[in-house]
């Protein structure tokens, strides 16, 4: 919808209402509501919506509902997990109007009466609205058609589903672990303890936990199982890192001097210097501030181990009290207070002045109202630039503009964020630069202490700036050490029955819009009645504020974190939605009793599954992450600790276009993705080119081999040609004609035969030996056989008789000596030779043998 349309929707409706009222046809004035379905369907006729998740079921639905923020009409559905707004016709989810039930902080009915002529004010119908305020910085308003009772149905559905009578009715338990199974978080915590002690080569197991055989140690610290049954401190984890010099009996005794039994224990230890970050709750010094505990003092002193290296003596201990000094003194009335430096050896107490949970809650509420009032999608459907002629922003009135800017500062949110950042940076600097140990606490040690300790861990240890390390950090310093998520996040009570109602109000009278004291719209909205006192309301955005601080560090050090701002937003959304059970209950003990890890899905497995779908190109990965650039601690100077609004979270609903601060990152991500694809294509091409090169080299080698064989064959052919020519001359010297047959045989015919008979003498490739045959072999492949008849044998062959008659050698010794015989020299006309051509080719004949013949 256009901005002008949004800005005039309510005012236009007033004129339309007045016109239709004059004709008595209000039921036909449906343009503002854009209704196509005048009545809601019964529960038994729910459509099968494709947007529903596993185990998500529809409770109630309304049709023709208008999202006032954007002036869009559609279908509003209440399920056992979400409030879903679908666009009319397409049934696409409208993100602004879709919110998990657990994310809703409060909701209320409102009635707005449009401004009209005084005489018609009583006849002007009221508009039925439903306002939903979320913990994720959005304020949504839905408009319903009068006399349809759809608003009541939606409101009652929200009442039933946001505060179920049984914890097992929560969506997380109905859905179950599904494919996002949750490994035992106690195993992960123990593995982190092993890593901190330098025992990372050890691997924890359920069997090790059951047997209590996880009490490993190094030269300074040890893991104690004294709280394995959660009796000493119900809000502490089962495994605690304590000084090696302190026994379990002393640990138990020291816990009695600290609020809620939360004694000083080690959260992180420097692997090189031995300095530690420790955490606890406030000491119970009594009304007169004169109560002491020797074991507590001994335990705190043990945190200051001897300095190593060239430095000698004990290291200094800083006791960082997160509260303002006046708040610490006020706690004395309840038995609490702060440490006296004179009672703790070589220590210094520092107060950080961070406000309590109530101040943080009110600050975020003011910031949310500021964004809704001055955003582009305000809950009254009016663009801030056009509201009342632009008087709320930039309407030519400099004082109005300055007042609008001052409203942001008046919320105090950025000041609180800066205080937490500054305190964490100070702690990290003391450990990194002075090799000092720091003990951090507030009142109970689970709100501001968790913020400071975990941020200091993040600054000091690069491991915690990775996905795996960030998960370990949250599970250690937030979940295991008992941050009360159930109370602070306003989650449904799982650990037991509770009579604390959700912050709801039902008001039908005409009044003023509750979302912002500055808003003055064309209609007046019903006020929100307070449902609980200031002290009883334990909801506070402590964890959200800590994630905001992490986003500020990510902005200052874009190369230091493996994860992106989008990951932090998705993490917060998952925590607020209660879709998974990781953040249920107030302590590790309660989650174990309820069996959350076995009954609910795991948030970490879900986020890891998202990343695995796209690998390093996923939006959760920080494109600029360079672990070698920040291998050591991050120590931001005070001047750099100037926070800004977190666009991806604070502005995404009120200013969606301006919230795209990550658009540049998205462009870089697309470029990186294209580069990755090109890189893969390059690697594929290089691999193919390498294969082609190898094939060409192989073919070249084969070709060279063939050339060598061809050259050898040519040489053999030339040699055979010479030998053939020599044999031919030799045979011709005998007066024979040589005939070459196609089969490779050569036939030699005798030219002159006195007997008148043509005879053939055959050179045969054989090794035959028989009676009356003498073989002369010139090599293994060829033998030339000369047939001769013995003197006492009368041969029937005329050639034998002629040869025998004329051969003088035969007459003397009775044997044929051809070719050495004289007949060979006399060119006998009675000898016939038949030779195998292939055998002759392989026969080595020296041409010098025939020299005497050639000279005849």
């Amino acid at each position: 919808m256009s901005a002008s349309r949004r800005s005039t929707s309510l005012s236009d409706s007033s004129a339309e209402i007045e016109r239709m009222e004059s004709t008595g046809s209000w039921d036909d004035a449906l343009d503002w509501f854009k209704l196509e379905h005048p009545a809601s369907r019964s529960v038994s006729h729910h459509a099968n919506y494709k947007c529903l998740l596993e185990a998500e079921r529809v409770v109630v639905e309304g049709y023709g509902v208008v999202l006032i923020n954007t002036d869009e009409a559609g279908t509003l559905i209440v399920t056992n997990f979400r409030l879903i707004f679908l666009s009319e016709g397409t049934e696409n989810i409208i993100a602004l109007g879709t919110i998990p039930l657990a994310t809703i902080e409060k909701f209320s009915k409102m009635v707005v009466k449009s401004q009209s002529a005084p005489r018609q004010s009583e006849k002007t119908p009221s508009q039925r609205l439903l306002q939903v305020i979320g913990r994720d910085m959005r304020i949504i308003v839905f408009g319903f058609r009068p006399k349809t009772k759809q608003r009541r149905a939606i409101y009652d559905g929200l009442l039933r589903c946001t505060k179920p009578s049984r914890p097992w009715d929560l969506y997380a338990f109905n859905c179950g672990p599904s494919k996002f199974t949750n490994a035992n978080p106690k195993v992960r915590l123990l593995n982190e303890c092993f890593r901190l002690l330098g025992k990372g080569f050890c691997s924890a197991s359920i069997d090790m936990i059951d047997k209590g055989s996880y009490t490993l140690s190094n030269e300074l610290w040890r893991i104690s199982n004294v709280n394995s049954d959660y009796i000493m401190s119900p809000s502490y984890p089962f495994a605690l890192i304590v000084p090696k010099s302190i026994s379990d009996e002393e640990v138990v005794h020291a816990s009695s001097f600290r609020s809620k039994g939360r004694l000083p224990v080690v959260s992180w230890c420097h692997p090189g210097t031995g300095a530690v970050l420790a955490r606890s709750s406030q000491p119970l010094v009594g009304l007169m501030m004169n109560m002491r505990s020797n074991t507590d003092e001994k335990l705190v002193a043990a945190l200051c181990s001897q300095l190593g290296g060239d430095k000698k003596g004990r290291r200094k201990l800083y006791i960082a009290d997160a509260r303002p000094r006046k708040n610490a003194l006020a706690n004395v009335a309840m038995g609490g207070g702060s440490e006296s430096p004179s009672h703790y050896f070589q220590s210094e107490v520092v107060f950080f002045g961070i406000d309590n949970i109530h101040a943080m809650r009110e600050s975020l509420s003011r910031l949310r109202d500021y964004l809704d009032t001055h955003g582009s999608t305000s809950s009254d459907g009016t663009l801030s630039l056009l509201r009342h002629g632009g008087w709320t922003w930039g309407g030519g009135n400099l004082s109005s503009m300055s007042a609008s800017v001052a409203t942001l500062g008046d919320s105090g949110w950025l000041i609180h964020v800066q205080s937490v950042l500054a305190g964490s940076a100070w702690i990290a600097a003391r450990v990194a630069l002075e090799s000092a140990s720091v003990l951090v606490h507030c009142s109970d040690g689970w709100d501001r202490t968790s913020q400071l300790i975990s941020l200091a861990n993040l600054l000091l240890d690069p491991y915690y700036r990775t996905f795996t390390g960030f998960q370990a950090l949250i599970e250690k310093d937030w979940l295991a050490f008992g941050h009360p998520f159930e109370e602070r996040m306003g989650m449904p009570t799982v650990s037991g029955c509770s009579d604390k109602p959700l912050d709801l109000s039902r008001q039908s009278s005409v009044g003023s819009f509750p979302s912002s004291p500055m808003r003055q719209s064309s209609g007046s909205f019903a006020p929100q009645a307070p449902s609980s006192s200031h002290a009883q309301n334990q909801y506070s955005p402590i964890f959200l504020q800590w994630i905001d601080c992490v986003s500020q560090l990510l902005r200052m050090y874009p190369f230091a974190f493996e994860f992106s701002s989008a990951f932090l937003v998705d993490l917060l959304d998952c925590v607020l939605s209660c879709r998974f059970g990781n953040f249920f209950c107030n302590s590790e003990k309660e989650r174990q009793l309820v069996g959350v890890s076995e009954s609910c899905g795991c948030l970490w497995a879900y986020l890891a599954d998202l990343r695995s779908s796209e690998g390093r190109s996923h939006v959760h990965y920080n494109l600029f992450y360079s672990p070698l650039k920040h291998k050591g601690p991050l120590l931001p100077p005070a001047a750099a600790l100037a926070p800004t609004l977190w666009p991806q979270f604070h502005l995404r609903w009120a200013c969606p276009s301006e919230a795209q601060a990550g658009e540049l990152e998205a462009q870089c991500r697309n470029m990186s993705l294209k580069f990755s694809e090109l890189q893969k294509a390059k690697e594929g091409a290089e691999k193919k080119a390498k294969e082609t090169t190898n094939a060409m080299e192989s073919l070249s080698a084969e070709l060279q081999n063939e050339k060598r064989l061809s050259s050898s064959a040519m040489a053999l052919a030339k040699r055979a040609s010479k030998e053939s020519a020599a044999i031919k001359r030799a045979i011709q010297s005998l007066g024979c004609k040589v005939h070459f047959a196609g089969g490779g045989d050569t036939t030699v015919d005798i030219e002159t035969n006195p007997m008148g008979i043509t005879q053939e003498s055959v050179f045969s490739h054989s090794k035959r030996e028989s009676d009356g045959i003498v073989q002369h072999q010139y090599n293994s492949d060829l033998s030339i056989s000369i047939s001769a008849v013995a003197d006492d044998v009368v041969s029937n062959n005329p050639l034998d008789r002629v040869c025998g008659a004329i051969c003088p050698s035969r007459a003397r010794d009775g044997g044929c000596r051809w070719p050495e015989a004289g007949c060979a020299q006399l060119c006998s006309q009675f000898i016939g030779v038949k030779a195998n051509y292939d055998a002759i080719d392989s026969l080595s004949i020296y041409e010098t043998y025939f020299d005497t013949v050639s000279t005849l």
Side-chain angles (χ1 to χ4, degrees), residues 129-143:
L129 305 177
L130 177 66
Q131 184 192 56
V132 177
I133 299 177
R135 297 187 177 95
D136 58 353
M137 306 302 295
R138 59 177 142 177
I139 300 176
I140 319 168
V141 176
F142 297 101

Side-chain angles (χ1 to χ4, degrees), residues 724-747:
S724 298
I727 293 174
K728 182 177 180 181
R729 290 195 302 271
I731 294 174
Q732 289 177 347
S733 66
L734 298 176
C736 302
K737 290 184 178 180
V738 181
H739 301 283
F740 296 95
D745 293 336
T746 301
T747 302

